[in-house]
Amino acid sequence: CGTDTYLDFTAFKRSTCGAAVLWQIDNYAVDSMKVLNDTTIRIWFKNINWQGNLYASLPAPACFTAPVDSIRISVIRSQTPLSLGPDKVLCTGNSLVLHAGSTYNTYLWQDGSTDSLYTVAAPGLYWVSVSDACGNNYRDTVLVTALDVSFTIGPDRVRCNTDTIHLDGPSGYISYQWSPNYAISNTTGQHTVVSPAVDTIYILKAEKLSGCFASDTIRI
């Protein structure tokens, strides 16, 4: 765990079986190894996160067999810092997912959930407490506030004879979509001009933030 550089491992064997224990481990994880005696080895691990097996064996015919045993090792160095990110806004009717990272052993959210991901469907204060395999505990909090993106394009209007009517969407939105595509000068701008020959209901759907929409209608 952490900055520890080496660990000692001992294999226990019957003395009557003789022979020095043979060791095998993935060289990718190891800086160096030192045999301390015929049953114990010291391994210096690289400064990386790694999981794998250390194998101990005796050459045949030790006690008439060639026994092998292994142990699972997890090397845990610096963790990815726990962060739920900056405070967030939530559009009415939408949801968002909070990510606590995938490198911790345990997760506990404010409502008792224990997954690394948490789906938020309402404004509020959310927190998560995590622990790693070394027993270190971390916690982070994020505030989710409601964002009202509703707007109006005005009251219903009357068109007489050959009049044209200018319709204006709200400013500060990232996209606009007018419908239907009938007697209208453009369908994707903030402003448009309509001249329907029959009663028509026009709809504007506007996107305030990515995936955050609102709409309004007007009858001509």
Side-chain angles (χ1 to χ4, degrees), residues 1 8 15 25 45 47 49 61 76-77 82 91 95 103 122-123 135 138-139 141 154-155 160 186 201-202 207 210 212:
C1 285
D8 292 341
S15 59
I25 193 172
F45 291 94
N47 188 27
N49 291 302
I76 301 174
R77 299 304 187 188
L82 173 64
C91 297
S95 63
T103 60
Y138 308 93
R139 181 181 170 121
T141 301
C160 295
N186 78 83
I201 295 176
Y202 289 96
E207 186 177 20
S210 179
C212 185

Side-chain angles (χ1 to χ4, degrees), residues 79-82 104-108 127-140:
Q79 287 278 14
T80 302
L82 173 64
Y104 297 98
N105 271 31
T106 65
Y107 301 83
L108 179 64
W127 58 261
V128 62
S129 179
V130 302
S131 64
D132 63 21
C134 296
N136 300 308
N137 298 307
Y138 308 93
R139 181 181 170 121
D140 195 24

Side-chain angles (χ1 to χ4, degrees), residues 48-70:
I48 59 173
N49 291 302
W50 176 84
Q51 287 187 330
N53 287 344
L54 170 66
Y55 296 89
S57 63
L58 288 175
C63 287
F64 310 104
T65 66
V68 178
D69 195 16
S70 66

Side-chain angles (χ1 to χ4, degrees), residues 6-181:
Y6 71 85
L7 287 173
D8 292 341
F9 298 89
T10 298
F12 298 91
K13 65 183 181 69
R14 288 167 51 188
S15 59
T16 54
C17 290
V21 174
L22 304 179
W23 301 92
Q24 182 181 354
I25 193 172
D26 182 2
N27 288 332
Y28 173 76
V30 174
D31 264 335
S32 61
M33 297 187 294
K34 181 180 180 180
V35 175
L36 302 182
N37 54 51
D38 66 347
T39 59
T40 302
I41 190 171
R42 176 169 293 174
I43 301 177
W44 283 264
F45 291 94
K46 293 179 180 178
N47 188 27
I48 59 173
N49 291 302
W50 176 84
Q51 287 187 330
N53 287 344
L54 170 66
Y55 296 89
S57 63
L58 288 175
C63 287
F64 310 104
T65 66
V68 178
D69 195 16
S70 66
I71 188 172
R72 186 72 172 173
I73 301 172
S74 296
V75 179
I76 301 174
R77 299 304 187 188
S78 58
Q79 287 278 14
T80 302
L82 173 64
S83 175
L84 297 176
D87 290 344
K88 307 178 189 304
V89 294
L90 180 66
C91 297
T92 303
N94 283 16
S95 63
L96 59 88
V97 178
L98 300 178
H99 299 259
S102 59
T103 60
Y104 297 98
N105 271 31
T106 65
Y107 301 83
L108 179 64
W109 295 88
Q110 73 290 327
D111 66 349
S113 300
T114 57
D115 197 87
S116 63
L117 305 178
Y118 188 87
T119 300
V120 173
L125 188 66
Y126 295 86
W127 58 261
V128 62
S129 179
V130 302
S131 64
D132 63 21
C134 296
N136 300 308
N137 298 307
Y138 308 93
R139 181 181 170 121
D140 195 24
T141 301
V142 64
L143 177 64
V144 179
T145 56
L147 178 64
D148 182 7
V149 298
S150 60
F151 61 85
T152 178
I153 50 178
D156 294 346
R157 307 269 294 276
V158 175
R159 174 179 181 259
C160 295
N161 301 321
T162 59
D163 289 350
T164 58
I165 294 181
H166 292 255
L167 300 180
D168 300 306
S171 60
Y173 288 66
I174 61 177
S175 70
Y176 303 87
Q177 183 64 53
W178 297 88
S179 63
N181 188 8

